[in-house]
Amino acid sequence: MFTCKMPGTVCAGENALNALGTLCGGARKAAVFSDRGIQASGALALPLKKLEEAGIDYTLLCDLPAEPTCDQAQTVVDAFRAVDAQVIVAVGGGSVMDIAKLCSIASGEGVTVRALLEDPGKGRKAVRTVMIPTTAGTGAEATPNAIVAVPEKELKVGIVCQEMIPDAVILDGEMIRRLPLKIAASTGIDALCHAIECYTSKKATPFSDLYAMEALKLIFANLEPACLDSEALESKNAMLMAAYYAGVAITCSGTTAVHALSYPLGGKYHIPHGVANAMLLMPVMRFNLPCCQAHFARVYDALGHKGAESEAEKAAWLLERMEQMVKRLDIPTDLKQYGVPKEDLPGLVKAGMEVQRLLGNNLRTVTAEDAREIYAGLLG
Ligand SMILES: NC(=O)c1ccc[n+]([C@@H]2O[C@H](COP(=O)([O-])OP(=O)(O)OC[C@H]3O[C@@H](n4cnc5c(N)ncnc54)[C@H](O)[C@@H]3O)[C@@H](O)[C@H]2O)c1
Ligand SMILES: [Zn+2]
């Protein structure tokens, strides 16, 4: 059996934000979650205006941390408990959306974020959620996952609970119009990783294949213009769709070794999620080639390219094109500039190998020796 779970309503494209009032589902009061960077960019103003036009009162919880630890997320859960709101409107990237999703299921007696880390099944949806992504992106608006750093483990950990699938989503290119290039680039590569990992995952299904492939088509055509041209609103809308589709693919399937090995880079060295994935994308794809050549060739065909004939040629073209995207967008591809010493290699390997939830999805088995080689390549 294959299952495909998705948010209840998704509004996308030009003026999609006009639906915000309706999507609040009759709520009198909203808790609006965001962060200082988004507020400073001006991206928060439009959703707030739409709430005001709809006559919905709101409380702002607006200093949410980026890439939260479980304890930072708990602080927001506590603050949210003091707000009498019937809907959470999350205006942000994965960090804001993940915290909002945790708040929506952590209102019961004794249900803390740390308790959810132990047993995600404890979560019960107690408040409606509307997600407005401002990066394109994590796809967190589509998934039942929330990712938090666990400091004592020096790892990021995914909490997976179906009750966290959002009730409604708004994908409006206006929200990413002023996204700084660096963030647009690394979050776009994160979406690419979600799509290609889900497509090549051991857990892939016909549903995840459909969404992952559509995401890949949109990303290959739109990532660069969406990042490099501030006026390319069509490409920005396409990237928001792609990130959402890739999020649906994650829900149906699962990411693999790129995400598994990137968790310690976020957890220990605080490297942004998209950057960590961008570093690992090519080493892992090359490692996976012997088992994924046919998958890569199918993506080549779906992109409509001509010229390459054999499966091997098609797969090689695809890997080259992915590498070119990472280079053109000027995303860091090694750990040197993050000051990670070579002596940390054994610790990295140990932490990475703990993420068996995702390593187990990789078509080619990743041994500790393989992980060592991949990380060693990043340390130069
Ligand atoms: N739940 C999931 O399914 C899922 C999937 C992948 C990643 N994640 C998690 O999401 C988090 C990363 O999210 P992210 O990559 O979207 O970045 P983010 O939410 O951490 O935001 C990064 C920075 O970008 C700024 N920013 C965001 N939108 C902006 C805008 N429109 N204009 C100007 N600045 C803006 C923020 O202020 C912040 O400083 C990580 O914690 C990661 O582990 C979750
Ligand atoms: Zn990701």
Side-chain angles (χ1 to χ4, degrees):
M1 184 180 83
F2 311 117
T3 310
C4 186
K5 290 192 177 171
M6 283 190 262
T9 309
V10 184
C11 296
E14 211 180 332
N15 297 322
L17 271 166
N18 288 347
L20 178 55
T22 311
L23 293 178
C24 286
R28 281 169 286 108
K29 187 166 180 183
V32 179
F33 285 36
S34 197
D35 71 29
R36 293 288 170 208
I38 294 156
Q39 195 178 29
S41 78
L44 186 55
L46 197 53
L48 294 184
K49 185 165 163 256
K50 297 295 170 194
L51 286 176
E52 284 155 20
E53 283 170 4
I56 299 171
D57 192 13
Y58 59 80
T59 294
L60 270 180
L61 290 160
C62 194
D63 48 7
L64 270 52
E67 314 246 348
T69 64
C70 49
D71 301 320
Q72 286 174 322
Q74 185 62 45
T75 306
V76 184
V77 169
D78 295 339
F80 171 67
R81 281 185 175 166
V83 179
D84 176 30
Q86 298 83 44
V87 63
I88 294 176
V89 177
V91 182
S95 300
V96 168
M97 290 192 282
D98 280 359
I99 298 174
K101 286 157 71 177
L102 286 169
C103 285
S104 75
I105 62 157
S107 66
E109 193 63 33
V111 185
T112 60
V113 176
R114 281 189 179 267
L116 289 168
L117 276 166
E118 293 301 317
D119 178 10
K122 281 202 168 109
R124 287 286 167 276
K125 173 77 80 66
V127 59
R128 186 175 171 78
T129 50
V130 181
M131 300 286 136
I132 307 177
T134 64
T135 60
T138 63
E141 68 276 13
T143 69
N145 311 353
I147 296 162
V148 290
V150 180
E152 66 275 18
K153 287 193 178 164
E154 297 187 328
L155 254 187
K156 298 194 89 177
V157 178
I159 299 174
V160 185
C161 169
Q162 298 302 321
E163 302 253 324
M164 279 196 287
I165 294 189
D167 296 293
V169 175
I170 297 176
L171 306 174
D172 190 322
E174 277 302 327
M175 300 308 296
I176 60 169
R177 193 193 273 277
R178 283 176 292 271
L179 189 61
L181 168 60
K182 263 191 173 173
I183 303 173
S186 60
T187 54
I189 293 292
D190 185 27
L192 169 62
C193 292
H194 295 161
I196 195 74
E197 286 177 75
C198 287
Y199 190 68
T200 55
S201 172
K202 265 191 196 166
K203 283 200 190 143
T205 72
F207 288 130
S208 63
D209 283 354
L210 182 71
Y211 282 96
M213 189 65 97
E214 196 54 33
L216 287 166
K217 285 192 218 164
L218 289 170
I219 292 166
F220 275 83
N222 293 287
L223 175 59
E224 286 142 317
C227 289
L228 300 169
D229 177 357
S230 61
E231 295 310 312
L233 205 57
E234 242 176 69
S235 286
K236 291 177 198 291
N237 272 314
M239 278 306 297
L240 276 171
M241 295 289 280
Y244 171 76
Y245 288 158
V248 176
I250 293 179
T251 309
C252 300
S253 164
T255 52
T256 61
V258 175
H259 271 68
L261 297 180
S262 90
Y263 276 12
L265 304 186
K268 184 164 167 125
Y269 306 105
H270 311 293
I271 299 171
H273 179 78
V275 175
N277 288 327
M279 287 179 186
L280 285 157
L281 175 64
M282 295 320 299
V284 170
M285 288 302 127
R286 282 195 203 98
F287 171 80
N288 280 350
L289 182 60
C291 296
C292 297
Q293 182 169 286
H295 294 76
F296 295 154
R298 284 200 292 278
V299 177
Y300 174 95
D301 288 335
L303 294 178
H305 279 278
K306 301 272 176 283
E309 281 178 11
S310 69
E311 217 174 53
E313 282 171 351
K314 291 175 181 180
W317 181 93
L318 195 82
L319 294 195
E320 255 171 53
R321 177 75 184 102
M322 280 199 266
E323 186 158 42
Q324 187 187 51
M325 282 199 273
V326 177
K327 275 198 184 134
R328 271 197 193 149
L329 296 172
D330 203 19
I331 308 170
T333 46
D334 63 55
L335 285 166
K336 274 176 266 167
Q337 57 189 280
Y338 285 90
V340 180
K342 285 190 176 164
E343 304 81 76
D344 282 13
L345 182 58
L348 268 175
V349 174
K350 186 168 175 292
M353 290 307 291
E354 271 179 37
V355 193
Q356 285 299 324
R357 176 176 77 89
L358 303 181
L359 281 179
N361 297 343
N362 206 64
L363 269 181
R364 182 169 175 195
T365 303
V366 182
T367 65
E369 195 40 52
D370 298 328
R372 180 183 311 278
E373 256 183 48
I374 291 172
Y375 283 132
L378 299 184
L379 285 163

